[in-house]
Amino acid sequence: MNKFLKFVFSMQTMGVLIILFAFSIGIATFIENDFGTPAAKALVYNALWFEIMLSIIVANLIANIIKYKLYKREKWSVFLFHAAFIIIFIGSAVTRYIGYEGNMHIREGQTSNQITSSESFIDVILEKNGKHIRESEQIAFTTVTETKYNEELAIGDSKVEINLKTFIPNAKTTLMQSAGGAPVLEMVSVGNSGMSGMLNFTMEYNGMRVLGNQMLAFGNNSNSKAIVFDYTDSLRMKSPVPVQEISMMGGNPIAMEANEWHVVSSQKLYDTGDIKLVIKNFYPSAVFKYMQGEDENAPSILVFDVKKDNTHKELIVKGQNNYVGDANTVSFGDVNVSIAYGSKIIDLPFSIKLNDFQLERYPGSNSPSSFASEVTLYDTEKSLEKDYRIYMNNILKHNGFRFFQASYDTDEKGTILSVNHDYWGMMTTYFGYAIMMLGMAWSLFNKNSRFKLLGKQSRKIKTLTVLACLIGSGIFSASAQDFKLVPLKQAKNFGEIIVQDKGGRFEPMNTLASDVIRKITKKGSFHGYPSEQIFLSMVTNPQEWQRVPIIKVGDKQLANELGISGKYASFMDFLTDQSQYKLSKKVQDSYSKKPVHRTKYDKEIILVDERVNISYMVFTGDFLKIFPNPNDNLGEWLAPTTEINFTGADSLFIKKSVIMLGQALYKNDLSDADNYITGIKQYQKKFGSEVMPSEGRQKIEILYYDINIFKRLFPYYLAIGFFLVIFLIVHILKPAFPIRWIVRIAIVVLAAGFILHTGGLAARWYISGHAPWSNGFETMTFIAWGCLLAGFIFAKISDLALAATAILAGLALFVAHLSWMSPEVTNLVPVLKSYWLTIHVAIITSSYSFLALATILGLINLILFSLQNKDNKNRLKVNINNLTRISEMTMTIGLYFLTIGTFLGGIWANESWGRYWGWDPKETWALVSILVYSFVLHMRFIPGLKSIYTFNIASVWCYSTILMTYFGVNYYLAGMHSYAKGDPVPIPIWVYYSIAIVLALSLMAYYNYKKYNIESKEIEA
């Protein structure tokens, strides 16, 4: 038993469990993507084996806290954040088993004290002689597991057995002729009273239906006011009111007397005056068949076998998640059995009234800026009546319940509130978060911590290293073309005009021109001319510029088909002699394919089509939303092409000013041109000053786009990092080679770049009004900044740190400027309008920078291993050991930041949509990364994995989890963080090449490591 316990609570077992934990939740994200959330919960998150694994991990952690005496005073910092994970586990268990969630739907003016559960239940009610018993069981159906439901219930002396036979998700219902069936009518009705629209429905024999103020019956019915259908040898109808039969083929109506039987048939209309009925089909003998459909909003079908004594009856129930199901009933004499499937209603001890729902949009756009519910809380027990405003990131808290603004009705007259009841689970978890952050921060400064010990050891040895890194870049140049350009002065002046973009954001024309020309040409300028000069030339002289090769075509086959030479085509190259669009059929074919099946040619067709359409909008002036509506200055601004519903001088100015500007420029009457531009600016100030950005913000934005600092910086970062490494190589081979002044110059230049980089981020923050890390481009630029910051932090310990981070910063900025990254400044979606965006994303992206530095240091060490020989092995070994210490330090900081940032994201999620952890793919993969890096940092306690080579190779390969978290989730998995996810795209070919290169390097390094290295023992902490 002692050996077994020792094995269970060993670090080896902990390591295996951590990797198993990471692997299982990573696989769960793909299960969820392919088979749905219920499947992921059933197979992983809610599975018994998963709970047992987590329990063993916690028990192992407790045992190792005792084994390594982390409770001692000098280790309190480490004890805190290890103990925090135990507390967080307890909090999550409380949330799992005690807390619950639901939704409250309220229409304006209505009051509700009920929520519908987010979980689904099978609800059974037995009724006998006025007595009832009820049984509810939570149940989750999946497409990959078989869910069983078998219950035996008793009421009085009667016993009923209920067995679930079949579950059909998103069922599609069809009628089929069958000899053992019953008569069925398929009908369509249109009502004049108490009904809305056209209704398709079916009626089974001996069934009834109420339509508006009229009752329909099929079969025997004693109600004298019902319209009755019956079937003997033919289908007949009897109505309490006169009916007119109208043939669909035309002709005069036929009168049908009241209270008399009349033969009826399909494809004829029967008008009672109150409703109109059409018999679509009549089946003398038919059965309903159910099969799984493709409509995800369609209800599911549950087929039960209900047995009392020796009598079996089939009961079919419809229902779905997030909706309260309607019960169906079957009778056995005096016992009635009712079954429903779906959400259940939960009564609250207080009520909420929706006074007003408010939806704000960005001016001139359908994009929501924010939405809010003005409510009144009524709690009679506490004699409380209080008004609240619920909106995204601003919740209502009362009596242990939390209400979040989740969604709204399409008519904007009702709200959907997400409701969470998990006070103790949340508070326990938050307490765990707090001491975790405290412990991690403390351990960075605790003189007895592992981090401090590594720092002391690293300062004892001078760091030298080697890196082979080749960065290829193409510099394009083009000869001048013969085309007419507007003067630069007028173009710059025009660039100061404010324009409203497609998302409703107000920005200088300079910004719009930069974005548009970059999309058309795939360059920041064209033939060396600034974007606003090209843009204004296209606007004012479209006939000539439609013949200028300006639209980028990157595929040779497509270029040949268009009949162009080179990589640029004119707008007219895409039109036939009959002015037909040449790519029309090709675009349709390309879009009809899923992205994963699109060829390189298909992708280029789609991209070129977008550029052609953007060019067309420039030529027609559709982009020029530069005129505030004098009747609605807070709404959509107007372009010269906009249909205007008012007259007078303002309408004439809107229609003619840009045309007159173009004519003045064509005649080279620059004074007149300046007057028209000034007139547009004055018009904007007169009618649009309330929504226009301040003059200071306008100037900063123009300067930001003119300088384009991030694009200018990345070649310098790469060059400095590359050459600094070259000189370090020479210094390693020839120690007499002077390196001191080269390093100092590199530090000064990089420091200047870092200051400019910081200024660029600050400018973007000021321009956009939010922290500059809300999209891919912004986070990559911030990661680059974080990389340089990490380099300066460790520059005192190692010259290599700065060289490596310069290369990383350059690569990050290079990626930020790839074609699939958008540098546009955009408005925020409502959920991102929170101070948590600043805190959570800043910490997370900073962690990526430190972990990237650990990766690049590990890669350098693999290269050093590969270059070892009998002459230099000792010299290189010194450098490898020291770089490994630095790598471990940066990895420790990165892991701390990643962990803190992830759990702060949980707090943000709880403030936004009511749950601090929901196994969303993004947060799940962040946890995978935390687990993997935790394993790497604990490998020194595991025999067989504590070598310096193992640590370095792990530091390289484990960054793939970060890449999956940052890139892979967005492209291959759906979730709350994927605000614009489409179908998955193919994995780029360079990924396979990169894996092959790193694998080859790893094997070469391993060969030399085994040949030349003997591990040295280090002091543990």
Side-chain angles (χ1 to χ4, degrees):
M1 177 58 72
N2 288 336
K3 288 184 178 181
F4 174 75
L5 293 176
K6 187 176 180 181
F7 169 76
V8 171
F9 298 134
S10 67
M11 287 299 296
Q12 295 97 312
T13 300
M14 173 63 85
V16 171
L17 290 173
I18 287 176
I19 294 301
L20 179 61
F21 185 14
F23 179 78
S24 59
I25 62 178
I27 290 297
T29 61
F30 289 95
I31 294 173
E32 180 177 7
N33 188 72
D34 294 338
F35 302 104
T37 302
K41 287 184 176 181
L43 294 176
V44 182
Y45 303 134
N46 293 349
L48 179 62
W49 69 265
F50 189 71
E51 295 177 345
I52 293 173
M53 179 184 68
L54 291 180
S55 300
I56 295 174
I57 289 175
V58 171
N60 187 297
L61 180 56
I62 294 172
N64 280 288
I65 287 175
I66 297 171
K67 177 181 178 181
Y68 289 95
K69 300 179 180 179
L70 298 185
Y71 48 80
K72 286 190 174 182
R73 184 175 181 178
E74 62 270 18
K75 296 183 179 182
W76 278 0
S77 61
V78 180
F79 169 77
L80 274 180
F81 70 79
H82 281 83
F85 291 107
I86 300 172
I87 297 171
I88 292 170
F89 173 81
I90 294 172
S92 65
V94 173
T95 297
R96 167 78 183 277
Y97 294 106
I98 299 178
Y100 56 87
E101 299 176 27
N103 293 294
M104 176 180 281
H105 180 207
I106 325 177
R107 299 285 291 176
E108 285 185 348
Q110 294 183 354
T111 302
S112 176
N113 70 332
Q114 294 181 330
I115 64 175
T116 57
S117 65
S118 59
E119 303 294 340
S120 296
F121 295 79
I122 290 179
D123 197 36
V124 181
I125 298 176
L126 265 61
E127 186 270 331
K128 181 179 181 180
N129 299 327
K131 294 182 179 180
H132 300 78
I133 66 164
R134 187 170 195 156
E135 180 78 17
S136 290
E137 181 176 326
Q138 182 177 324
I139 196 161
F141 293 100
T142 77
T143 58
V144 294
T145 59
E146 182 181 358
T147 303
K148 295 182 179 180
Y149 180 86
N150 302 295
E151 288 290 336
E152 182 175 318
L153 303 176
I155 181 168
D157 57 354
S158 300
K159 292 185 178 181
V160 176
E161 294 181 22
I162 303 171
N163 295 298
L164 176 64
K165 293 169 53 180
T166 308
F167 171 74
I168 306 172
N170 311 125
K172 178 181 179 182
T173 306
T174 58
L175 267 173
M176 297 184 64
Q177 293 277 10
S178 176
V184 178
L185 278 172
E186 277 189 320
M187 306 184 74
V188 179
S189 67
V190 179
N192 300 326
S193 173
M195 295 177 59
S196 59
M198 182 180 295
L199 178 66
N200 289 271
F201 62 96
T202 59
M203 289 185 65
E204 299 178 68
Y205 199 70
N206 289 330
M208 293 185 298
R209 191 177 190 99
V210 177
L211 299 176
N213 300 322
Q214 185 65 61
M215 177 184 288
L216 301 183
F218 185 25
N220 298 320
N221 191 279
S222 59
N223 192 323
S224 61
K225 296 182 180 180
I227 298 175
V228 182
F229 294 86
D230 203 355
Y231 174 73
T232 53
D233 55 341
S234 61
L235 184 64
R236 302 180 300 163
M237 180 181 76
K238 182 170 67 173
S239 170
V241 296
V243 177
Q244 284 192 326
E245 181 184 76
I246 303 171
S247 174
M248 299 295 188
M249 305 302 294
N252 296 323
I254 300 174
M256 302 172 65
E257 295 180 9
N259 297 313
E260 296 288 339
W261 287 104
H262 301 273
V263 176
V264 292
S265 60
S266 60
Q267 306 307 317
K268 291 185 179 181
L269 185 145
Y270 298 92
D271 187 355
T272 69
D274 195 26
I275 60 172
K276 298 178 177 65
L277 298 171
V278 175
I279 302 171
K280 288 176 60 179
N281 290 295
F282 170 60
Y283 300 88
S285 180
V287 293
F288 287 95
K289 292 291 185 181
Y290 303 100
M291 63 187 69
Q292 184 171 349
E294 297 180 357
D295 183 3
E296 295 182 356
N297 295 318
S300 300
I301 294 290
L302 285 72
V303 182
F304 293 92
D305 175 55
V306 184
K307 176 185 176 184
K308 180 180 180 293
D309 299 328
N310 293 320
T311 304
H312 290 262
K313 291 189 177 182
E314 186 177 83
L315 184 60
I316 298 176
V317 177
K318 289 185 179 181
Q320 60 190 123
N321 294 333
N322 299 316
Y323 290 92
V324 177
D326 293 325
N328 274 5
T329 304
V330 65
S331 297
F332 297 89
D334 57 351
V335 177
N336 297 319
V337 182
S338 298
I339 304 178
Y341 166 69
S343 299
K344 70 176 181 179
I345 295 176
I346 301 173
D347 293 320
L348 304 182
F350 53 88
S351 301
I352 292 178
K353 179 183 179 181
L354 177 64
N355 301 314
D356 185 33
F357 177 77
Q358 301 168 354
L359 176 65
E360 297 178 10
R361 291 185 170 87
Y362 289 108
S365 168
N366 286 325
S367 302
S369 170
S370 67
F371 42 91
S373 298
E374 298 281 355
V375 303
T376 301
L377 172 70
Y378 298 97
D379 192 333
T380 54
E381 291 184 3
K382 298 182 178 180
S383 301
L384 178 66
E385 179 179 333
K386 189 174 181 180
D387 294 333
Y388 289 92
R389 179 178 173 85
I390 307 173
Y391 55 93
M392 192 63 71
N393 300 311
N394 191 75
I395 64 179
L396 187 160
K397 305 175 186 176
H398 182 70
N399 206 27
F401 291 88
R402 295 156 60 86
F403 294 81
F404 309 80
Q405 183 64 61
S407 185
Y408 52 90
D409 294 341
T410 54
D411 64 357
E412 300 173 21
K413 296 295 183 182
T415 189
I416 299 174
L417 302 176
S418 174
V419 186
N420 177 275
H421 187 267
D422 180 36
Y423 178 81
W424 290 111
M426 180 186 69
M427 296 307 296
T428 304
T429 304
Y430 278 16
F431 176 68
Y433 289 173
I435 65 171
M436 177 198 70
M437 296 175 197
L438 175 62
M440 288 180 171
W442 186 5
S443 68
L444 295 178
F445 303 99
N446 183 357
K447 64 181 181 180
N448 298 310
S449 69
R450 170 77 175 176
F451 184 84
K452 277 293 185 180
L453 178 63
L454 290 170
K456 291 176 183 177
Q457 292 176 342
S458 297
R459 293 188 186 99
K460 296 176 184 177
I461 306 172
K462 182 179 179 181
T463 303
L464 299 172
T465 190
V466 60
L467 172 65
C469 181
L470 301 175
I471 305 296
S473 62
I475 301 175
F476 298 94
S477 62
S479 58
Q481 298 284 335
D482 294 328
F483 44 72
K484 186 175 178 61
L485 281 166
V486 300
L488 181 60
K489 178 184 176 183
Q490 280 64 41
K492 291 289 185 182
N493 194 12
F494 185 77
E496 296 174 356
I497 292 174
I498 300 302
V499 64
Q500 187 183 49
D501 72 6
K502 63 181 183 299
R505 180 176 180 270
F506 294 97
E507 61 192 20
M509 186 67 71
N510 171 280
T511 299
L512 177 68
S514 176
D515 293 336
V516 166
I517 299 305
R518 175 180 49 80
K519 286 182 177 179
I520 295 173
T521 67
K522 303 310 294 177
K523 294 182 180 181
S525 62
F526 184 67
H527 291 285
Y529 297 104
S531 56
E532 61 262 50
Q533 194 173 13
I534 300 295
F535 183 84
L536 183 56
S537 300
M538 294 174 68
V539 168
T540 57
N541 193 1
Q543 291 79 14
E544 180 172 336
W545 275 85
Q546 286 176 3
R547 290 174 168 78
V548 175
I550 192 173
I551 301 172
K552 176 69 178 293
V553 179
D555 186 85
K556 290 183 179 180
Q557 178 184 344
L558 180 58
N560 292 333
E561 292 172 355
L562 292 171
I564 64 171
S565 59
K567 295 184 178 181
Y568 288 88
S570 70
F571 182 80
M572 297 303 295
D573 287 328
F574 294 91
L575 302 179
T576 65
D577 294 338
Q578 292 77 34
S579 297
Q580 298 296 315
Y581 185 35
K582 294 179 181 179
L583 300 185
S584 180
K585 180 64 166 60
K586 297 178 185 294
V587 170
Q588 183 179 355
D589 292 342
S590 297
Y591 271 111
S592 66
K593 301 177 183 178
K594 289 186 176 181
V596 73
H597 296 141
R598 289 174 189 161
T599 64
K600 182 180 178 182
Y601 177 80
D602 292 322
K603 296 173 188 175
E604 186 64 17
I605 287 286
I606 292 171
L607 292 173
V608 170
D609 174 68
E610 180 186 17
R611 294 169 199 150
V612 172
N613 280 284
I614 291 173
S615 301
Y616 177 77
M617 294 178 71
V618 176
F619 292 137
T620 58
D622 287 345
F623 275 122
L624 299 181
K625 291 185 177 182
I626 57 178
F627 301 102
N629 187 337
N631 300 322
D632 182 16
N633 61 348
L634 297 179
E636 182 177 7
W637 281 22
L638 309 174
T641 56
T642 306
E643 185 176 342
I644 300 174
N645 57 5
F646 58 89
T647 59
D650 291 332
S651 66
L652 191 63
F653 181 77
I654 293 171
K655 290 291 186 183
K656 299 294 185 181
S657 57
V658 175
I659 296 174
M660 300 302 290
L661 170 62
Q663 292 177 354
L665 291 171
Y666 183 77
K667 296 175 183 177
N668 204 31
D669 188 346
L670 303 185
S671 177
D672 248 9
D674 287 335
N675 289 336
Y676 285 116
I677 295 173
T678 301
I680 295 172
K681 291 180 179 179
Q682 291 174 346
Y683 181 92
Q684 290 186 338
K685 290 181 180 178
K686 180 180 179 181
F687 294 110
S689 57
E690 292 185 41
V691 295
M692 289 170 59
S694 65
E695 290 189 11
R697 182 170 291 184
Q698 295 175 36
K699 291 178 180 178
I700 292 294
E701 183 162 354
I702 291 172
L703 181 64
Y704 169 82
Y705 270 88
D706 283 345
I707 294 176
N708 201 1
I709 187 64
F710 301 127
K711 189 170 184 179
R712 293 176 185 268
L713 279 177
F714 83 75
Y716 290 100
Y717 287 163
L718 289 173
I720 291 170
F722 176 76
F723 285 112
L724 185 56
V725 168
I726 294 296
F727 288 128
L728 288 171
I729 294 173
V730 175
H731 186 67
I732 260 193
L733 299 177
K734 296 183 178 181
F737 179 78
I739 194 73
R740 183 179 177 185
W741 285 104
I742 295 174
V743 172
R744 287 186 176 181
I745 292 171
I747 290 174
V748 170
V749 176
L750 288 174
F754 183 73
I755 293 171
L756 292 173
H757 196 142
T758 305
L761 289 173
R764 191 172 179 102
W765 194 328
Y766 177 65
I767 292 165
S768 64
H770 58 77
W773 39 74
S774 63
N775 58 34
F777 174 84
E778 291 179 345
T779 53
M780 289 307 296
T781 57
F782 184 75
I783 287 172
W785 182 86
C787 285
L788 270 184
L789 178 63
F792 283 117
I793 290 173
F794 290 99
K796 291 183 179 180
I797 303 175
S798 168
D799 296 333
L800 168 70
L802 196 58
T805 53
I807 293 173
L808 284 172
L811 288 173
L813 289 183
F814 173 75
V815 171
H817 288 86
L818 293 176
S819 60
W820 43 275
M821 286 284 192
S822 175
E824 295 178 42
V825 178
T826 58
N827 290 320
L828 289 178
V829 296
V831 71
L832 296 182
K833 290 186 174 182
S834 170
Y835 58 88
W836 287 109
L837 172 68
T838 306
I839 300 171
H840 163 65
V841 182
I843 295 175
I844 284 286
T845 51
S846 297
S847 76
Y848 295 167
S849 302
F850 283 97
L851 296 175
L853 177 55
T855 299
I856 201 73
L857 293 176
L859 191 62
I860 291 169
N861 274 340
L862 293 183
I863 295 173
L864 289 176
F865 277 128
S866 301
L867 293 176
Q868 277 185 311
N869 56 46
K870 62 181 180 179
D871 297 324
N872 65 17
K873 63 178 182 179
N874 292 327
R875 188 165 66 250
L876 291 185
K877 183 178 179 180
V878 169
N879 289 277
I880 290 170
N881 288 337
N882 199 49
L883 290 180
T884 302
R885 295 187 190 98
I886 298 171
S887 177
E888 187 176 344
M889 292 175 69
T890 61
M891 187 182 294
T892 301
I893 296 175
L895 177 59
Y896 285 176
F897 276 25
L898 179 61
T899 306
I900 292 171
T902 299
F903 289 122
L904 285 177
I907 297 175
W908 182 12
N910 199 30
E911 296 299 312
S912 295
W913 47 64
R915 60 176 65 172
Y916 58 83
W917 195 266
W919 296 112
D920 175 75
K922 194 80 167 183
E923 64 193 18
T924 300
W925 273 96
L927 180 58
V928 170
S929 301
I930 292 170
L931 293 169
V932 168
Y933 276 100
S934 298
F935 173 79
V936 173
L937 287 174
H938 286 82
M939 287 195 308
R940 58 195 173 91
F941 296 103
I942 302 175
L945 295 178
K946 58 172 57 178
S947 72
I948 196 170
Y949 169 82
T950 307
F951 176 85
N952 280 284
I953 194 172
S955 68
V956 172
W957 286 99
C958 64
Y959 200 73
S960 59
T961 62
I962 299 295
L963 296 177
M964 180 63 192
T965 304
Y966 187 79
F967 293 109
V969 168
N970 296 331
Y971 287 101
Y972 298 100
L973 300 173
M976 291 181 291
H977 290 77
S978 303
Y979 296 108
K981 180 188 178 293
D983 290 323
V985 296
I987 298 175
I989 191 67
W990 60 264
V991 172
Y992 299 105
Y993 291 138
S994 300
I995 292 174
I997 291 171
V998 175
L999 181 60
L1001 181 61
S1002 302
L1003 294 174
M1004 291 169 57
Y1006 179 74
Y1007 175 79
N1008 270 13
Y1009 163 75
K1010 297 298 288 183
K1011 187 174 182 180
Y1012 296 113
N1013 286 269
I1014 299 175
E1015 290 289 336
S1016 57
K1017 293 185 178 179
E1018 295 185 9
I1019 301 173
E1020 293 289 355

